[in-house]
Amino acid sequence: MDNQSIELITRMVLESIQKQEASSENGYVVPVGVSARHIHLTQEHVEALFGEGYQLTKKKGLMGGQFASNETVTIVGLKLRAIENVRILGPVRSKSQVEISATDALRLGVKAPIRESGNIAGSAAIAVVGPKGAIYLNEGCIVAKRHIHMAPQDAMAAGVHDGDIVSVKADNERGTTFNNVQIRVDDSFTLEMHIDTDEANAAKIATGDTVRIIK
């Protein structure tokens, strides 16, 4: 290894240490993304709702290779109360999942548990209606657990690890502290905390605002 490489590695390590020290003193700053209700679907369910062979079309790219599609559906609760224009996120998944807010759950008349994305076992049932058909999910409707997406270098700088649970503070006029925030680390992630519309409205936070990890 040459001197230039050693110098570069040394500088990166020092910068990481400085960031960790700043993090422990002032809290690591994280931008917020407010997540509206949405749905993930299997290819089988896409075709059931939109027609045989149908493929989702991309409207906007999201982190981790995901995208907001142009397609929307209507979700229907057990009391036949419905919410229209629920955005589908792609690409297709191995299991279909509906993510709503607690207010949406009350409106639909469903008992959606607070869960990490992908953990749908025993969650609420819901019906989904598309232009060419409808499906009934025996489980899959959840209120997403608040979380922070991080790349490994962000996690190192913040002094946290994948799966950690932290507290986060919003320094605005509401001064809200969010507890039980899960850290999710992956190379494909961009630094961002995701909260739903209920949490954002209560704390008077909008997409692009920042919060601090206070642990």
Side-chain angles (χ1 to χ4, degrees), residues 47-69:
E47 295 187 29
L49 296 169
F50 292 90
E52 185 176 353
Y54 194 90
Q55 299 291 318
L56 296 175
T57 59
K58 184 176 179 180
K59 178 182 176 70
K60 179 184 178 182
L62 304 172
M63 76 171 68
Q66 294 192 91
F67 61 87
S69 75

Side-chain angles (χ1 to χ4, degrees), residues 155-199:
M156 181 180 294
V160 296
H161 303 87
D162 186 51
D164 283 356
I165 302 298
V166 300
S167 293
V168 172
K169 185 176 181 181
D171 291 316
N172 58 14
E173 58 188 301
R174 285 287 175 92
T176 306
T177 298
F178 296 97
N179 298 316
N180 300 319
V181 182
Q182 185 166 14
I183 299 295
R184 298 172 60 182
V185 181
D186 190 89
D187 286 325
S188 65
F189 288 162
T190 302
L191 182 64
E192 192 169 65
M193 176 178 175
H194 284 176
I195 56 176
D196 66 28
T197 50
D198 281 358
E199 295 168 314

Side-chain angles (χ1 to χ4, degrees), residues 64-145:
Q66 294 192 91
F67 61 87
S69 75
N70 291 296
E71 291 77 19
T72 62
V73 294
T74 297
I75 55 176
V76 184
L78 299 179
K79 297 181 180 179
L80 299 183
R81 299 172 183 168
I83 297 177
E84 300 179 341
N85 299 317
V86 177
R87 184 75 55 190
I88 302 172
L89 300 191
V92 294
R93 290 193 174 187
S94 59
K95 293 182 180 180
S96 292
Q97 172 181 299
V98 181
E99 296 182 34
I100 60 176
S101 69
T103 297
D104 290 338
L106 290 172
R107 177 177 169 183
L108 292 166
V110 299
K111 295 182 178 180
I114 299 173
R115 296 279 185 83
E116 181 183 2
S117 179
N119 180 11
I120 62 172
S123 57
I126 198 161
V128 184
V129 181
K132 296 292 181 66
I135 59 173
Y136 182 77
L137 302 178
N138 290 311
E139 60 184 17
C141 185
I142 65 171
V143 175
K145 184 176 183 178

